[in-house]
Amino acid sequence: MDSSVDFTVEVAQECHIPYVPEILKTIEDAARVRGTGIAKRRPEYVEQKIREGKAIIALCGDDFAGFCYIESWDHEKFVANSGLIVKEKYRGQGLAKRIKRFAFDLSRKRFPDAKLFGLTTGAAVMKINTELGYVPVTFPDLTSDPVFWKGCESCVNYDVLSRNNFTRCLCTGMLYTPKPKKVVVAYSGGLDTSFTIMYLAKEKGYEVHAACANTGGFSPGQLRQNEENAIKLGAKSYVTLDVTKEYYDKAIRFMVFGNVLRNGTYPVSVSSERIFQAMAVARYAKSIGADAIAHGSTGAGNDQVRFDMTFMVMAPELEVITLTRDMGLTRQFEVDYLNSHGFPADFAKLKYSYNVGLWGTSICGGEILDSRCALPESAYLKQVSKEGGEDIALGFREGVLVSVNGQEYTDGVKAIQDVEAIAAPYGIGRDMHVGDTIIGIKGRVGFEAAAPLLIIAAHKFLEKFTLSKWQQYWKDQVSNWYGMFLHESQYLEPVMRDIEAMLLSSQRNVSGTVTMHLRPYCFETVGVDSPNDLVKNKFGEYGETQKGWTGDDAKGFIKLSATALRAYYANHPDEAAEVEKLSK
């Protein structure tokens, strides 16, 4: 036969069903010539495989040339490429190898975790399988599904197989075992990610690596416990990715520059953290050559969007696994699973759930779920322990907090932590945020964020003294977008770098010290001391005296300012009459 024949090898579709009778006859004829058995299939069965996209056909023009189909067994733990056949006149041209390779690749794509196996008496097929990575194995290493072995009843050698209790025959068993998938779990120590580690390790046989991205919310003791638990759950390794400084440098700093409070209330605590946690996990997964990343988000919240979008942008080649969301798991199911596999799951459903971070603590559950109610005192992690009041002096240099009560800082994270230590015992920074979630529903969350609210209030107060009218105006516009984009997982949107550039530029004169007075549950601004104080100027003192213009200048200015309105009402006497009524 001409070796230049051009074959088309593709996934069979419904338009190829008319070839089924010829396919089955070709298989039967080949088995008769070889004198060996082959599992016979009814036309309906082969048609079903075609409709399911689990069959491969080779054509030479419109002429049938070869075929193979895919079968799965033991709940998709094993997969076989069955019925491999090439029409006699097309043999000897490498077509069987092409079809087998196509079937192998399709099987790996459709069933990435399955073991591929086959039974063969042909040296050619054995050679092809060996080149693909199959190795000879005993029959007990193959599927135990009785339906598969029942298919051997049509083979002339079935009596040999049955006499040997299905442990050996004239065929050779061959098995391809995929390399265990390497998965990085974004591990928080909570129930969902604990279940994810154990399930992927035990049920899927994956090589699991736990990564805890710390943005300032974990204590050293909690991190040690996370590592111990991750290994017990089945993780091959555990790592803490400390991105607190990166989080400060790349997000918190700009949120202060922009005085970012979502809906004028919430300092975008959890939402901004998640982005940097996701970026850290994505970088780590790529650095160790992982195949996938897993996280514990449900399908009802914002975090699924933040993690998935970040992974899709930073590591698009990696699969994203979300068991809790995709399997629709209940909390009790996860607890029972962990308990039944030797991990005492002490994940009691508390009335409140907390997310503690450098830039605030969020509180969910309990009264939060009832729009009519506020959180009781007991719901807050940081209780009021200070009485009376005290002043605090926050020093800024070009918008950056650099001193607290005269103590200088080069570490912005430490400065925030020290402000929190001073202000939190007053119960400052507590509030309730109501906003629109990324997925479109309304959400309500309580929070306590003493340092963020105090720092933002002081910074905004200082800007009132040091920025021009239009600097403040345009900063407010872009800052609102910056906070919204952080909340909605758009940190990697290029415009964010443009907004940051403007915010950074706007801070060149925002230097000085702000004094604030703290009392239980509240604070107030006292005053500002800044070399760039625009209230202090040589032109005049508001409400007192003018130094840069005369009284006539003021009257002329006012007359010119009124010109547009005077011109409008002069041309619209009917509306002017309405205005005149207002003066009576």
Side-chain angles (χ1 to χ4, degrees):
M1 191 72 191
D2 187 353
S3 60
S4 65
V5 173
D6 186 19
F7 297 108
T8 300
V9 180
E10 60 185 327
V11 177
Q13 303 176 46
E14 288 204 24
C15 63
H16 297 122
I17 287 179
Y19 289 106
V20 169
E22 185 177 2
I23 291 169
L24 293 176
K25 186 177 186 306
T26 304
I27 292 174
E28 185 176 347
D29 291 346
R32 186 182 305 111
V33 170
R34 290 199 302 263
T36 59
I38 192 166
K40 292 183 179 179
R41 295 300 185 203
R42 295 174 58 82
E44 296 81 6
Y45 183 81
V46 177
E47 290 176 12
Q48 179 186 351
K49 290 298 176 185
I50 291 176
R51 290 191 175 94
E52 292 174 346
K54 296 178 181 177
I56 297 89
I57 192 167
L59 299 173
C60 181
D62 293 329
D63 190 26
F64 167 71
F67 188 74
C68 183
Y69 58 89
I70 298 171
E71 297 177 299
S72 60
W73 311 96
D74 281 337
H75 305 290
E76 300 183 354
K77 291 183 179 179
F78 287 88
V79 168
N81 300 151
S82 304
L84 176 61
I85 190 66
V86 172
K87 197 171 181 178
E88 185 175 4
K89 68 177 182 178
Y90 295 123
R91 292 172 189 163
Q93 300 179 63
L95 182 56
K97 186 174 182 179
R98 282 185 61 187
I99 296 173
K100 179 67 177 180
R101 165 58 73 177
F102 196 108
F104 178 83
D105 291 341
L106 181 61
S107 299
R108 295 286 293 119
K109 182 178 180 180
R110 292 287 299 269
F111 307 95
D113 304 320
K115 296 179 179 180
L116 275 61
F117 75 100
L119 295 175
T120 183
T121 56
V125 173
M126 194 174 299
K127 180 180 179 182
I128 293 172
N129 284 349
T130 301
E131 291 175 355
L132 290 173
Y134 287 74
V135 295
V137 294
T138 61
F139 284 13
D141 293 319
L142 307 178
T143 178
S144 58
D145 195 321
V147 178
F148 171 80
W149 296 103
K150 185 175 177 60
C152 293
E153 290 180 354
S154 59
C155 177
V156 296
N157 299 315
Y158 182 72
D159 62 323
V160 179
L161 179 65
S162 58
R163 285 200 311 270
N164 289 289
N165 197 27
F166 298 89
T167 60
R168 62 183 182 276
C169 191
L170 301 184
C171 289
T172 298
M174 302 196 76
L175 184 68
Y176 171 87
T177 303
K179 181 182 177 182
K181 186 179 293 185
K182 183 184 288 189
V183 181
V184 171
V185 175
Y187 183 57
S188 67
L191 175 60
D192 295 325
T193 53
S194 295
F195 170 85
T196 298
I197 288 178
M198 180 173 282
Y199 188 90
L200 294 180
K202 286 187 175 293
E203 306 302 326
K204 293 292 189 177
Y206 292 170
E207 180 184 312
V208 178
H209 300 266
C212 176
N214 182 24
T215 49
F218 291 95
S219 69
Q222 288 172 320
L223 292 174
R224 286 192 296 271
Q225 188 64 58
N226 275 359
E227 179 173 13
E228 181 181 327
N229 288 344
I231 301 304
K232 287 180 180 178
L233 288 162
K236 183 176 181 180
S237 72
Y238 168 89
V239 63
T240 293
L241 307 172
D242 192 343
V243 289
T244 309
K245 187 177 187 307
E246 179 187 9
Y247 175 42
Y248 170 80
D249 288 339
K250 296 183 178 179
I252 292 178
R253 193 163 58 101
F254 292 101
M255 287 194 286
V256 173
F257 290 168
N259 307 313
V260 172
L261 294 174
R262 184 161 171 77
N263 288 359
T265 306
Y266 178 56
V268 198
S269 305
V270 177
S271 38
S272 58
E273 281 185 0
R274 291 291 185 261
I275 302 301
F276 287 87
Q277 291 167 344
M279 289 195 299
V281 171
R283 288 194 298 263
Y284 177 70
K286 294 178 72 171
S287 74
I288 67 169
D291 303 300
I293 305 175
H295 63 88
S297 300
T298 69
N302 290 323
D303 284 346
Q304 59 176 329
V305 182
R306 294 169 183 140
F307 280 114
D308 283 15
M309 282 185 61
T310 304
F311 296 154
M312 289 172 68
V313 173
M314 292 194 64
E317 72 278 14
L318 302 186
E319 177 188 358
V320 178
I321 299 171
T322 52
L323 299 181
T324 305
R325 176 178 63 187
D326 296 344
M327 295 172 65
L329 302 177
T330 65
R331 192 174 181 86
Q332 191 58 53
F333 177 89
E334 294 179 341
V335 168
D336 291 344
Y337 179 86
L338 292 172
N339 285 332
S340 66
H341 287 83
F343 187 87
D346 185 20
F347 295 101
K349 179 64 174 176
L350 302 176
K351 184 176 182 180
Y352 306 106
S353 62
Y354 300 89
N355 186 89
V356 182
L358 176 65
W359 204 234
T361 296
S362 66
I363 308 169
C364 297
E367 291 79 6
I368 295 291
L369 305 175
D370 187 340
S371 299
R372 300 168 299 178
C373 299
L375 285 171
E377 181 74 22
S378 59
Y380 294 97
L381 294 181
K382 297 173 181 178
Q383 297 294 299
V384 177
S385 58
K386 285 186 177 181
E387 298 178 350
E390 66 178 289
D391 285 347
I392 184 173
L394 302 182
F396 295 86
R397 184 179 304 121
E398 296 186 357
V400 176
L401 179 65
V402 294
S403 70
V404 178
N405 290 335
Q407 180 180 340
E408 296 285 333
Y409 291 85
T410 57
D411 182 353
V413 172
K414 184 64 167 63
I416 292 170
Q417 291 170 336
D418 285 357
V419 172
E420 182 75 17
I422 293 170
Y426 284 108
I428 288 171
R430 297 177 176 183
D431 208 337
M432 197 81 69
H433 168 58
V434 179
D436 298 287
T437 66
I438 304 173
I439 59 177
I441 61 176
K442 290 285 185 182
R444 187 174 186 236
V445 63
F447 65 89
E448 48 185 339
L453 292 193
L454 205 62
I455 293 168
I456 287 174
H459 178 267
K460 187 172 184 178
F461 192 56
L462 177 60
E463 285 190 327
K464 291 179 180 180
F465 288 80
T466 58
L467 295 187
S468 73
K469 168 184 175 180
W470 293 113
Q471 281 181 306
Q472 292 185 73
Y473 175 84
W474 286 110
K475 263 190 75 273
D476 286 346
Q477 312 313 306
V478 299
S479 297
N480 184 54
W481 281 98
Y482 192 80
M484 184 175 68
F485 278 0
L486 274 178
H487 172 76
E488 298 195 355
S489 192
Q490 294 291 339
Y491 175 79
L492 296 175
E493 160 61 46
V495 75
M496 294 291 273
R497 309 293 81 77
D498 302 324
I499 295 175
E500 288 166 355
M502 178 188 174
L503 292 176
L504 182 62
S505 174
S506 73
Q507 300 301 294
R508 59 188 180 273
N509 294 318
V510 185
S511 297
T513 299
V514 180
T515 302
M516 313 184 84
H517 186 68
L518 313 182
R519 298 195 307 272
Y521 304 108
C522 67
F523 63 87
E524 59 187 302
T525 51
V526 175
V528 162
D529 181 12
S530 171
N532 303 319
D533 183 357
L534 295 176
V535 173
K536 299 175 182 178
N537 65 83
K538 63 182 180 179
F539 297 104
E541 295 177 353
Y542 176 71
E544 297 295 332
T545 60
Q546 77 271 14
K547 300 176 183 178
W549 62 89
T550 67
D552 287 339
D553 292 336
K555 287 188 288 184
F557 168 77
I558 296 166
K559 187 173 184 178
L560 287 175
S561 297
T563 298
L565 286 174
R566 292 166 63 208
Y568 179 85
Y569 287 112
N571 284 350
H572 298 283
D574 54 332
E575 294 184 35
E578 293 298 320
V579 172
E580 186 177 350
K581 290 179 183 179
L582 296 176
S583 63
K584 295 180 180 179

